[in-house]
Amino acid sequence: MTVSLRGTREVRKNCQIFHLLGQLDAFSEPTFQKVILSYVKEGANQIILDLSQIDFIDSSGLGALVRIVKAIEPIKGKLQIVTNPRVTQTVKMVRLEKFLNLRNSLDEALADIS
Protein backbone atom coordinates (compact mmCIF):
# COMPACT_ATOMS: atom_id res chain seq x y z
CA MET A 1 0.00 0.00 0.00
CA THR A 2 1.32 3.42 -0.93
CA VAL A 3 0.36 6.41 1.15
CA SER A 4 0.50 9.50 -0.98
CA LEU A 5 1.30 13.03 -0.01
CA ARG A 6 -1.66 15.25 0.74
CA GLY A 7 -1.80 18.85 1.72
CA THR A 8 -3.43 22.23 1.94
CA ARG A 9 -2.21 25.74 1.20
CA GLU A 10 -2.86 28.99 3.00
CA VAL A 11 -1.49 32.51 2.75
CA ARG A 12 -0.42 34.42 5.87
CA LYS A 13 1.80 37.49 6.17
CA ASN A 14 2.43 37.40 2.40
CA CYS A 15 3.76 33.86 2.82
CA GLN A 16 2.64 30.66 1.12
CA ILE A 17 2.20 27.94 3.75
CA PHE A 18 1.85 24.32 2.68
CA HIS A 19 0.63 21.86 5.33
CA LEU A 20 1.64 18.37 4.18
CA LEU A 21 0.65 14.94 5.40
CA GLY A 22 1.84 11.48 4.39
CA GLN A 23 5.08 10.51 2.68
CA LEU A 24 7.48 12.67 0.72
CA ASP A 25 9.17 9.99 -1.34
CA ALA A 26 10.01 9.00 -4.90
CA PHE A 27 6.32 8.42 -5.63
CA SER A 28 5.06 11.80 -4.43
CA GLU A 29 8.14 13.96 -5.10
CA PRO A 30 7.50 14.84 -8.78
CA THR A 31 4.04 16.30 -8.10
CA PHE A 32 5.18 17.95 -4.85
CA GLN A 33 8.10 19.67 -6.55
CA LYS A 34 6.00 20.73 -9.54
CA VAL A 35 3.34 22.34 -7.33
CA ILE A 36 5.78 24.21 -5.08
CA LEU A 37 7.96 25.40 -7.97
CA SER A 38 4.87 26.67 -9.82
CA TYR A 39 4.28 29.09 -6.93
CA VAL A 40 7.95 30.12 -6.97
CA LYS A 41 7.72 30.82 -10.72
CA GLU A 42 4.66 32.98 -10.04
CA GLY A 43 6.78 35.06 -7.65
CA ALA A 44 6.15 33.51 -4.25
CA ASN A 45 9.38 34.15 -2.38
CA GLN A 46 8.37 33.34 1.21
CA ILE A 47 7.37 29.69 1.55
CA ILE A 48 6.84 27.58 4.63
CA LEU A 49 6.55 23.83 4.25
CA ASP A 50 4.85 22.36 7.29
CA LEU A 51 6.27 18.84 7.35
CA SER A 52 5.35 18.25 10.99
CA GLN A 53 2.81 15.60 9.91
CA ILE A 54 5.10 13.81 7.43
CA ASP A 55 5.52 10.10 8.22
CA PHE A 56 8.48 9.47 5.91
CA ILE A 57 10.92 11.38 3.73
CA ASP A 58 13.51 9.78 1.48
CA SER A 59 16.37 11.02 -0.70
CA SER A 60 13.94 12.03 -3.46
CA GLY A 61 12.07 14.24 -1.04
CA LEU A 62 15.30 15.75 0.28
CA GLY A 63 16.43 16.39 -3.28
CA ALA A 64 13.19 18.24 -3.99
CA LEU A 65 13.72 20.44 -0.93
CA VAL A 66 17.24 21.31 -2.10
CA ARG A 67 15.97 22.16 -5.62
CA ILE A 68 13.24 24.39 -4.18
CA VAL A 69 15.78 26.28 -2.03
CA LYS A 70 17.99 26.76 -5.09
CA ALA A 71 15.02 28.02 -7.13
CA ILE A 72 13.89 30.50 -4.48
CA GLU A 73 17.31 32.01 -3.63
CA PRO A 74 17.71 34.01 -6.90
CA ILE A 75 14.44 35.86 -6.21
CA LYS A 76 15.67 36.82 -2.72
CA GLY A 77 13.29 34.34 -1.18
CA LYS A 78 13.32 32.01 1.75
CA LEU A 79 12.08 28.49 2.29
CA GLN A 80 11.45 27.39 5.87
CA ILE A 81 10.59 23.87 6.93
CA VAL A 82 8.52 23.08 10.00
CA THR A 83 9.81 19.71 11.00
CA ASN A 84 9.23 16.75 13.28
CA PRO A 85 11.81 14.40 14.86
CA ARG A 86 11.69 11.93 11.96
CA VAL A 87 12.24 14.60 9.28
CA THR A 88 14.94 16.30 11.37
CA GLN A 89 16.80 13.02 11.82
CA THR A 90 16.73 12.31 8.08
CA VAL A 91 17.94 15.83 7.23
CA LYS A 92 20.76 15.59 9.79
CA MET A 93 21.85 12.18 8.47
CA VAL A 94 22.74 13.80 5.15
CA ARG A 95 24.06 16.97 6.82
CA LEU A 96 21.58 19.38 5.24
CA GLU A 97 20.37 20.97 8.49
CA LYS A 98 22.38 24.18 7.87
CA PHE A 99 21.27 24.43 4.23
CA LEU A 100 17.57 23.85 4.95
CA ASN A 101 15.91 26.28 7.35
CA LEU A 102 14.42 23.89 9.90
CA ARG A 103 11.90 25.28 12.39
CA ASN A 104 10.26 23.60 15.37
CA SER A 105 6.84 25.20 14.88
CA LEU A 106 4.76 27.19 12.43
CA ASP A 107 4.80 30.13 14.85
CA GLU A 108 8.60 30.10 14.83
CA ALA A 109 8.66 30.09 11.02
CA LEU A 110 6.09 32.90 10.78
CA ALA A 111 8.08 35.02 13.24
CA ASP A 112 11.04 34.81 10.83
CA ILE A 113 9.13 36.21 7.84
CA SER A 114 10.63 39.47 6.69
Side-chain angles (χ1 to χ4, degrees):
M1 178 174 99
T2 301
V3 177
S4 65
L5 185 67
R6 297 174 303 282
T8 59
R9 180 182 68 90
E10 68 172 301
V11 179
R12 261 200 257 177
K13 292 176 108 177
N14 200 29
C15 177
Q16 303 286 327
I17 304 170
F18 296 88
H19 302 278
L20 302 169
L21 173 71
Q23 298 181 353
L24 182 49
D25 57 12
F27 178 76
S28 62
E29 177 271 325
T31 302
F32 162 76
Q33 182 173 271
K34 181 180 176 184
V35 168
I36 303 302
L37 288 178
S38 71
Y39 284 96
V40 173
K41 287 177 184 169
E42 290 175 7
N45 69 345
Q46 296 289 328
I47 296 177
I48 297 173
L49 298 177
D50 182 357
L51 304 185
S52 62
Q53 299 299 308
I54 290 292
D55 298 322
F56 177 78
I57 184 168
D58 69 4
S59 60
S60 298
L62 291 172
L65 296 176
V66 169
R67 286 187 291 278
I68 293 165
V69 169
K70 288 183 175 187
I72 207 168
E73 283 178 341
I75 59 171
K76 308 251 186 283
K78 188 173 196 178
L79 173 71
Q80 298 185 73
I81 300 166
V82 179
T83 190
N84 65 31
R86 181 171 287 155
V87 173
T88 300
Q89 179 183 19
T90 304
V91 169
K92 285 184 174 183
M93 279 186 359
V94 294
R95 299 187 178 171
L96 284 173
E97 66 271 16
K98 291 184 181 173
F99 182 75
L100 300 173
N101 291 311
L102 302 182
R103 301 291 181 245
N104 293 316
S105 70
L106 183 56
D107 289 337
E108 184 181 326
L110 284 167
D112 197 30
I113 297 297
S114 50

